[in-house]
Amino acid sequence: MITVEHVYKRYHNHHGSDWVLRDIDLHIPKGVSVGLVGCNGAGKSTLLRLIGGMDSPDRGRILRQCRVSWPIGLRGGFQNNMTGRQNVKFVARIHGNERSIDDVIRFVEDFAEIGEAFDEPVKTYSSGMRSRLGFGLSLAFDFDVYLSDEATAVGDKAFKDKAKKAFKDKVGQASLIMVSHSEGILKDLCQAGIWLDRGQAFWFDDVNEAIQAYHDSLEKKKQPRSASPRKSGDTGQATQATSQTS
């Protein structure tokens, strides 16, 4: 289980520092794959980084009673002056795994499909090549929960299909927490959903209901200002779904 307790997060800049996430309180059960939905800037990648331990909340805490991967698909995490092979070897040594280091290297090299670039410095990689390398490296280890930030959107159709199949193969052995603009993938791979809106998070036991809540919010934003929305009922369905699971 992953527990997010009253988490707040913001990033300071010269424009001010509004909260990206405000008082997020969630319990993600073991074995349940979850899709994160919301507008651009709603905090989906931020929440994923916090769950993965790549960032820390300003307030609150996150408890992990399981092995959680780093977010697959996010840039960063590699030493730019080292080659892909050297980075994989370095991570394999530090992280520890039942497989030998050579097995991990072979798996990542085969999965990433970046050819001779595997032995070139990572600083020469495109963002897609970095993502492929990170994707393969994550799958080389046995996690209880895999985090994915648009990982299945990288590369050509053949690699996208390969990435999707890799996640499907993990379902049953592990669970996923996914950010994706492809609602089809979320519906295919996830059972539950979290809708992020204006710094708040709403849990739904059914990912389809989370996606519908997101769509409904977009429709409300398109309404003319003169159409007085219900202030107390705008998020009634989502709030009810949250209370039922807490």
Side-chain angles (χ1 to χ4, degrees):
M1 175 184 287
I2 297 173
T3 304
V4 182
E5 292 185 347
H6 304 294
V7 163
Y8 288 75
K9 184 65 182 178
R10 63 182 170 189
Y11 298 100
H12 300 281
N13 55 53
H14 61 280
H15 297 298
S17 54
D18 197 10
W19 294 107
V20 179
L21 301 174
R22 293 185 292 111
D23 200 19
I24 305 299
D25 208 27
L26 294 168
H27 300 280
I28 301 176
K30 179 180 178 181
V32 175
S33 292
V34 183
L36 302 184
V37 298
C39 298
N40 290 334
K44 300 184 296 296
S45 295
T46 296
L47 181 57
L48 212 63
R49 284 196 298 268
L50 292 172
I51 291 174
M54 295 180 69
D55 205 346
S56 301
D58 292 301
R59 302 179 192 170
R61 62 176 182 167
I62 296 176
L63 304 176
R64 307 170 192 84
Q65 297 175 317
C66 54
R67 297 187 67 200
V68 181
S69 80
W70 50 84
I72 308 169
L74 286 181
R75 296 184 182 183
F78 295 116
Q79 295 295 320
N80 283 332
N81 291 322
M82 293 167 58
T83 67
R85 186 185 303 275
Q86 290 169 335
N87 270 280
V88 171
K89 189 174 183 179
F90 178 75
V91 173
R93 280 177 172 169
I94 291 179
H95 210 279
N97 193 267
E98 295 177 357
R99 308 168 76 166
S100 71
I101 292 176
D102 288 340
D103 285 342
V104 171
I105 292 172
R106 280 193 292 270
F107 175 86
V108 177
E109 184 175 14
D110 177 66
F111 189 91
E113 296 180 350
I114 57 176
E116 295 179 356
F118 193 58
D119 289 303
E120 297 294 332
V122 169
K123 65 183 178 183
T124 65
Y125 287 13
S126 66
S127 60
M129 291 166 67
R130 282 175 175 264
S131 296
R132 283 171 177 248
L133 185 68
F135 200 151
L137 185 56
S138 296
L139 294 179
F141 298 94
D142 296 323
F143 294 106
D144 298 310
V145 180
Y146 289 85
L147 309 180
S148 170
D149 194 338
E150 295 292 350
T152 54
V154 174
D156 56 20
K157 183 180 184 302
F159 188 83
K160 289 177 183 177
D161 290 343
K162 183 177 183 178
K164 186 176 178 180
K165 182 181 182 301
F167 276 140
K168 279 189 172 182
D169 290 343
K170 288 292 181 182
V171 173
Q173 309 169 34
S175 59
L176 314 171
I177 301 178
M178 300 189 72
V179 172
S180 177
H181 283 97
S182 171
E183 294 178 359
I185 289 176
L186 295 180
K187 292 177 179 180
D188 198 17
L189 297 178
C190 301
Q191 297 90 47
I194 296 173
W195 170 44
L196 292 170
D197 182 55
R198 291 173 288 184
Q200 301 292 301
F202 304 95
W203 172 274
F204 292 85
D205 290 329
D206 187 333
V207 68
N208 294 285
E209 293 180 4
I211 292 172
Q212 187 59 52
Y214 168 52
H215 283 218
D216 290 345
S217 72
L218 294 179
E219 288 301 318
K220 289 179 181 178
K221 289 177 182 178
K222 292 178 183 178
Q223 293 177 0
R225 290 180 179 272
S226 58
S228 306
R230 291 183 302 153
K231 292 183 180 180
S232 61
D234 283 350
T235 58
Q237 180 185 8
T239 303
Q240 183 179 9
T242 305
S243 63
Q244 288 174 349
T245 57
S246 49

